[in-house]
């Protein structure tokens, strides 16, 4: 049974052809109409995600991975194609949106937790668990503006893992934090997977795709270039990266 069905998804963006980076450039070109060009990010992407499976997505930077996840999560709308998501979905993508840097860790947990679907009482009851998972117990009463980017990311991922619904969408989740935090994230993922949660996982890490993904897609220039078991897609990705790498310089 498919929980997600994507058919011929396409997405493009209009980007300026000329660059205006300085105040001088903006002033001198203020009354000159800007020209734009179309950047095709996704080109007819089709796939299914079955209930309870983990689908991996690999691809080089710019291949369309993040755009595809944002379409799945309803952040972007596809220009063309059809998408059916048949279960509640929890995105763990660009976390930290909605933080208030003036509030401390506890208040931000309540803020983000309720925004992601927890009742206020549930969020309050989960505060200690979330702080422990993030390894930030000592910083509970410190304003978020004093957190490092890594600390804020760990806290955001910890909140998101507590609010998981049926489908989980992860973008490079196992690349955040130190080794100990990544191990906790992997253990939490295994727990959710064992309970039957469906997962869509983007990662550049061959180990993650091979170990956690029963099936995977390789995106290349906005298209599905290859599909297979996790290890097969890792091998194909590695082969393409090796082919694209420049050879040794001639003496």
């Amino acid at each position: 049974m498919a929980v997600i069905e994507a058919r011929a998804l396409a997405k493009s963006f209009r980007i300026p052809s000329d660059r205006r980076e300085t105040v001088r450039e903006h002033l001198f070109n203020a009354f000159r109409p800007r020209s734009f060009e179309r950047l095709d990010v996704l080109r007819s992407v089709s796939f299914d995600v079955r209930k309870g499976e983990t689908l991996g997505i690999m691809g080089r930077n710019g291949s369309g991975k993040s755009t595809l996840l944002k379409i799945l999560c309803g952040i972007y709308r596809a220009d063309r194609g059809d998408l059916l998501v048949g279960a509640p979905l929890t995105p763990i993508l660009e976390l930290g949106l909605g933080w208030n840097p003036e509030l401390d860790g506890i208040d931000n947990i309540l803020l983000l937790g309720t925004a992601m679907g927890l009742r206020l009482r549930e969020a309050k009851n989960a505060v200690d668990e979330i702080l422990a998972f993030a390894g930030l117990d000592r910083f509970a009463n410190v304003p978020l503006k004093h957190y490092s980017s890594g600390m804020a990311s760990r806290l955001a991922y910890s909140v998101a893992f507590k609010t998981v619904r049926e489908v989980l969408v992860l973008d490079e989740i196992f690349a955040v934090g130190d080794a100990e935090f990544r191990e906790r994230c992997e253990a939490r993922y295994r727990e959710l997977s064992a309970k039957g949660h469906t997962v869509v996982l983007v990662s550049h890490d061959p180990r993650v795709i091979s170990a956690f993904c029963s099936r995977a897609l390789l995106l290349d220039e906005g298209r599905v270039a290859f599909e297979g078991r996790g290890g097969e897609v890792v091998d194909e990705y590695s082969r393409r990266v090796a082919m694209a790498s420049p050879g040794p310089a001639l003496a």
Side-chain angles (χ1 to χ4, degrees), residues 155-248:
L155 187 62
Y157 279 118
S158 300
V159 173
F161 264 135
K162 189 61 181 177
T163 63
V164 170
R165 286 168 281 185
E166 187 171 334
V167 180
L168 184 61
V169 179
L170 304 173
D171 191 0
E172 296 291 357
I173 174 64
F174 301 131
V176 173
D178 55 20
E180 184 178 351
F181 182 72
R182 290 196 296 271
E183 287 175 5
R184 287 200 293 272
C185 287
E186 292 185 10
R188 177 66 172 143
Y189 159 77
R190 292 190 183 94
E191 176 187 332
L192 293 169
S193 181
K195 290 180 178 178
H197 286 271
T198 305
V199 181
V200 179
L201 167 65
V202 161
S203 180
H204 285 98
D205 189 337
R207 182 191 65 83
V208 169
I209 297 295
S210 296
F212 297 116
C213 301
S214 52
R215 192 163 57 90
L217 309 176
L218 176 61
L219 290 187
D220 190 5
E221 296 185 349
R223 294 186 173 90
V224 177
F226 189 81
E227 179 177 352
R229 294 191 298 272
E232 294 173 336
V233 171
V234 165
D235 291 343
E236 179 65 15
Y237 175 72
S238 300
R239 185 185 71 82
R240 290 175 180 242
V241 169
M243 289 179 61
S245 299

Side-chain angles (χ1 to χ4, degrees), residues 57-225:
I57 302 176
M58 294 194 82
R60 286 175 288 186
N61 291 336
S63 62
K65 303 184 302 299
S66 293
T67 298
L68 177 57
L69 292 193
K70 289 176 180 177
I71 290 174
L72 295 183
C73 298
I75 299 171
Y76 291 161
R77 293 185 63 180
D79 296 334
R80 297 183 303 280
D82 297 304
L83 174 65
L84 172 64
V85 179
L89 183 149
T90 298
I92 304 184
L93 307 177
E94 296 175 2
L95 295 175
L97 298 178
W99 285 141
N100 185 327
E102 300 300 324
L103 298 179
D104 64 20
I106 292 175
D107 285 338
N108 271 289
I109 288 172
L110 301 181
L111 183 67
L112 188 59
T114 52
M116 297 186 73
L118 291 179
R119 295 185 178 89
L120 181 57
R121 179 178 295 179
E122 291 175 326
K124 288 180 176 178
N125 291 338
V127 164
D128 290 343
E129 180 184 348
I130 290 169
L131 287 169
F133 189 93
L136 295 172
D137 313 66
R138 293 169 51 214
F139 303 94
N141 302 114
V142 175
L144 206 75
K145 63 184 178 183
H146 298 308
Y147 282 34
S148 68
S149 59
M151 291 166 66
S153 294
R154 295 206 313 272
L155 187 62
Y157 279 118
S158 300
V159 173
F161 264 135
K162 189 61 181 177
T163 63
V164 170
R165 286 168 281 185
E166 187 171 334
V167 180
L168 184 61
V169 179
L170 304 173
D171 191 0
E172 296 291 357
I173 174 64
F174 301 131
V176 173
D178 55 20
E180 184 178 351
F181 182 72
R182 290 196 296 271
E183 287 175 5
R184 287 200 293 272
C185 287
E186 292 185 10
R188 177 66 172 143
Y189 159 77
R190 292 190 183 94
E191 176 187 332
L192 293 169
S193 181
K195 290 180 178 178
H197 286 271
T198 305
V199 181
V200 179
L201 167 65
V202 161
S203 180
H204 285 98
D205 189 337
R207 182 191 65 83
V208 169
I209 297 295
S210 296
F212 297 116
C213 301
S214 52
R215 192 163 57 90
L217 309 176
L218 176 61
L219 290 187
D220 190 5
E221 296 185 349
R223 294 186 173 90
V224 177

Side-chain angles (χ1 to χ4, degrees), residues 13-32:
F13 296 95
R14 293 174 71 239
I15 59 174
S17 300
D18 59 324
R19 300 178 64 180
R20 302 179 186 179
E21 298 180 347
T22 66
V23 173
R24 179 187 177 88
E25 288 172 342
H26 280 283
L27 287 174
F28 277 94
N29 293 285
F31 300 103
R32 180 183 299 173

